[in-house]
Amino acid sequence: MTKDKILLKLVYALLAWVSLVSGAQATPRDSVTVMTLWGGKELEAFEGILDAFEKRTEVAVRVESAGRDLSILLMARLEAGNPPDLAVIPNPGQMRELARRGHLIPLDFLEPRGYPKAFIESAQFCGRQYGLFLSADAKSLVWYRPRLFKEGGYEIPRSWSDMVALSKRMATEGKTPWSIGLESGAASGWPGTDWIEDIFLRLHGPDAYDRWVEHEISWQNPLVKEAWETFGQILFNEDYVFGGIMGCLSINFADAALELFTEPPGCLMHRQGTFMQSFIRGNYPLLAPGRDYNVFPLPSIKGGGPAPLVASGDLISAFRDTREVRDLLSYLASPEAQSMWAKAAGKLALHVDVPISAYSDPISAKAAELLTTAEVVKFDASDMMPAVVGSGAFWTGILDYASGMKLDDVLARIENAAQRAYKGGQVLR
Amino acid sequence: MNNKLAWLYMVPAALFLGVFLIYPTFSTIALSFFGPRSVEFVGLANYRSVLTSSAVLSALRNNLLWLAIMPTATVALGLVLAAILDRVRYEAIVKAIVFLPMSISFVGASVIWKFVYAYRPASRPQIGLLNAILARLGFEPIGWLAVRPWVNNLALITVGIWVWTGFCVVILSAAYKGVPRELVEAARIDGASEFQIFWHVILPHMRGTIAITFTTMVIYVLKIFDIVYVMTNGAFDTEVLASRMIKEMFGYWNYGSAAAIATLLLLLVIPFLTISMLRFLREER
């Protein structure tokens, strides 16, 4: 702490105070504060899970919803020396950054046995556990409407080339195979990063994927370039995507999925994660998941084997080491709390002891099965990268590429940002 | 005694400026020589990394584009409107309308214009005003905010002009009315055309006000942030220095490089500030 930062801290203290006023008196001993980014249904589901804990332990859990400004508020509270006990962190990249700055408590007391490997490893920093995943989203899914596939005589594609052939056939029949929405406010571009990640994993396998995440492979490496070009073959084909390239750039990611349901349909396939179900349900509550719309795994590119899966998830980290914090974390890691996530539609539990039958809808059940049976499960690459790349240059790179910048220039730009971000070893001071 | 009293009166203002302006300025400059967490002294490393970052360089380019267009456009429009409106009966109403955007917050204005520029594929109904007009006239819709590098940046600058023209009109119109009528009459009797009167009589009289208005615009444009942040968040090469600074600070938690960008901005503003200060002092005398 330098003297020069006093003013900064004043501002932070003010911000922290404002955030405190929204819901707080002094924290009593046997209570825990959790800062989350959720609102609406997700928040309700989380509070439901906490209720059971509160009843059993008589520890009061106070949830502060910071929404999308979570990382700003969290940093403010940290600088003011007044962090919450626990916080839901947007992604493992930010968790690593917090751990690197020494803000987080290592969670050695947790033994997340029964968790998929990808979800243990991505919550680690320097070999120690700093985060616990509460739930997961499977990403490598393609949404479609069984009725439209049946009417068109289309089969679920088993390989990437099948899928491209299917796209071509749909296009020649005057239909639009895909809808890709890259717009997402300040986070625009991220839906494209999911495509690149899926394609990279399918082209080059899990080891190369890990090296790419850790920046041991340059962004200008031909492996990376190949993944972008494969995406470009779909993205830049005006007959393959709804609204052409300008449509992709302007359509919001959530609206893009809804194009499946317009009359006539704006698209026949849409690649997006499990969380899309809540958007679809919100707009079309009368349609039955599994019957009126369904998902198939994005097929593999090389070899005929089962497709690898990219997944992401919400993780929680601790800033204070108290008995209550430990109790709450152990509870959240238990199959009991996890199966409550499963019941809240759209979220996947991580513990293997949560049976598939715990899911209330067939799409979540299918995704959960993929998550536990897929040979290769990898965590979302952009979420793992330092924010400068993972939620900065990679996002804008997608938009640069889609809006006509030459791929070499796009990748050079991301590489430029990556060199700043990864440089300087582990500890940044 | 009198002198001492004067100093006493200055204390509150000096304290206020000291705490909220002078101290933060020097603190920011100091922070720009430290690492991301302001712990380790890194010398000029932040400046080196910021000035070789393609994102920052593109932001710098865009700031220059804003600088080249917006102050000139707002002042010129303001001047023309001030001259024309002076001759019409409903001047007050028109001025009020032109000034209205000033009363909207910049974030509000940006949201309004986001709707004006909204794009939907040609097969769907257009929800954006401009594209709805284009569609009605039988043209293809345009992705105003996504077509780089000119269309989107000019679209953003247009919003800035829309917001600030009213301010220029009000200031310049007051100066216009301050030009002595006798001079204009005399010129007219001497047979000068209306254009000659405007160019050789009125403009020279307004020079001071024009310069002040122009510098105000320049300084505002260098700090431009809200419009870009709300409408594109810097995507498609529309980033400006201030929005980049916020990203480095709050998005990437890198205080060092954020402070370096802030210092760069300060350096860019200083010449313009100096010019306007000198002019101000000269006029005081």
Side-chain angles (χ1 to χ4, degrees), chain B residues 37-93:
Chain B
R37 293 169 57 200
S38 315
V39 175
E40 191 182 23
F41 183 79
V42 295
L44 289 172
N46 285 323
Y47 290 92
R48 209 172 306 131
S49 109
V50 156
L51 288 173
T52 53
S53 150
S54 43
V56 175
L57 290 179
S58 133
L60 193 62
R61 257 197 317 275
N62 288 332
N63 263 96
L64 294 179
L65 184 70
W66 276 82
L67 197 58
I69 298 175
M70 201 183 118
T72 317
T74 44
V75 170
L77 265 175
L79 208 54
V80 169
L81 280 172
I84 293 174
L85 289 179
D86 191 50
R87 288 149 194 260
V88 294
R89 252 185 309 127
Y90 38 86
E91 179 183 5
I93 301 169

Side-chain angles (χ1 to χ4, degrees), chain A residues 12 70-79 101, chain B residues 253 255:
Chain A
Y12 277 146
L70 182 119
S71 35
I72 297 176
L73 277 173
L74 188 60
M75 199 39 105
R77 297 272 301 260
L78 284 167
E79 291 288 340
R101 289 169 184 233
Chain B
W253 299 341
Y255 300 159

Side-chain angles (χ1 to χ4, degrees), chain B residues 113-120 126-129 131 142 144:
Chain B
W113 279 86
K114 225 181 155 173
F115 283 115
V116 173
Y117 291 139
Y119 173 94
R120 286 287 173 280
Q126 295 297 328
I127 62 162
L129 179 68
N131 280 328
I142 295 172
W144 297 98

Side-chain angles (χ1 to χ4, degrees), chain A residues 1-8 10 12 15 69 71-72 74-75 79 94 97-98 100-103 183 185-188 242-244 246-247 249-251 255 259 262-266 387-389 391-393 396 399-401 403-405 412-414 416-417 420 423 427-429, chain B residues 19-20 23-24 26-28 30-31 34-42 45-46 49-50 52-56 58 61 114 118-124 141-144 146-148 229-237 239 244 246-255 257 261:
Chain A
M1 196 191 292
T2 60
K3 228 171 81 188
D4 298 305
K5 281 175 68 182
I6 292 172
L7 187 97
L8 201 63
L10 271 175
Y12 277 146
L15 270 173
D69 292 326
S71 35
I72 297 176
L74 188 60
M75 199 39 105
E79 291 288 340
Q94 280 194 16
E97 189 58 40
L98 287 167
R100 172 189 295 180
R101 289 169 184 233
H103 291 307
E183 202 276 331
S188 290
F242 172 70
M246 199 49 74
L249 283 168
S250 315
I251 297 171
D255 294 339
E259 286 300 332
T262 51
E263 202 55 60
V388 180
V389 180
S391 29
T396 41
L399 299 177
D400 286 342
Y401 182 51
S403 61
M405 192 188 266
R413 270 195 181 189
I414 305 179
N416 176 289
R420 291 177 63 207
K423 200 172 56 183
V427 182
L428 297 171
R429 291 192 300 149
Chain B
V19 173
F20 290 103
Y23 171 70
F26 285 101
S27 152
T28 304
L31 285 180
F34 284 86
R37 293 169 57 200
S38 315
V39 175
E40 191 182 23
F41 183 79
V42 295
N46 285 323
S49 109
V50 156
T52 53
S53 150
S54 43
V56 175
S58 133
R61 257 197 317 275
K114 225 181 155 173
Y119 173 94
R120 286 287 173 280
S123 59
R124 294 278 180 272
I142 295 172
W144 297 98
V147 179
R148 64 170 64 216
Y229 182 74
V230 174
M231 295 182 70
T232 61
N233 197 28
F236 314 115
D237 268 333
E239 190 96 287
R244 189 68 205 171
I246 295 287
K247 270 187 195 163
E248 296 281 343
M249 174 95 200
F250 292 109
Y252 314 145
W253 299 341
N254 191 338
Y255 300 159
S257 56
I261 296 175

Side-chain angles (χ1 to χ4, degrees), chain A residues 296-307:
Chain A
F296 62 81
L298 191 73
S300 48
I301 298 181
K302 284 184 177 163

